[in-house]
Amino acid sequence: MKSGKQSIDNNSSAEHVEQHLQELEKADYELLYYSQEQSFSSDEMTRLVNEERLNELMAQSDAFLRGLNDGIKDFDKSTGN
């Protein structure tokens, strides 16, 4: 009799945990959804974005793309295309 009650309790606990996890997942999704809906004013963006670092990253990406493009051109020449 006692083992039957334990299995019922275990199922209840497992169901409770599953329900709680589903609620957390829903809350995370809602938070993500609503955070994407917020727009920033130009003043907020200016305050948030490190312009110097952004320019450095853009220069690095430009250099990477140039190198990639040169590599593709060299590859095409070597394959006869």
Side-chain angles (χ1 to χ4, degrees), residues 3-81:
S3 64
K5 180 161 174 43
Q6 261 185 331
S7 66
I8 291 171
D9 288 344
N10 289 341
N11 288 341
S12 297
S13 296
E15 289 172 4
H16 179 71
V17 168
E18 179 65 28
Q19 181 182 5
H20 181 70
L21 291 174
Q22 288 175 357
E23 289 171 4
L24 287 175
E25 185 177 298
K26 181 181 175 187
D28 287 345
Y29 174 78
E30 289 174 352
L31 180 63
L32 176 64
Y33 176 79
Y34 290 115
S35 69
Q36 292 174 351
E37 291 290 316
Q38 298 174 359
S39 59
F40 293 98
S41 70
S42 59
D43 291 338
E44 288 173 314
M45 287 302 287
T46 301
R47 185 173 46 85
L48 293 172
V49 173
N50 180 337
E51 189 174 348
E52 183 179 328
R53 180 66 180 137
L54 179 60
N55 288 333
E56 289 172 10
L57 290 171
M58 289 173 61
Q60 288 175 5
S61 67
D62 287 346
F64 171 77
L65 291 174
R66 274 192 303 274
L68 186 60
N69 193 33
D70 291 344
I72 291 170
K73 286 180 185 176
D74 291 343
F75 179 78
D76 284 344
K77 288 177 188 175
S78 69
T79 60
N81 291 334

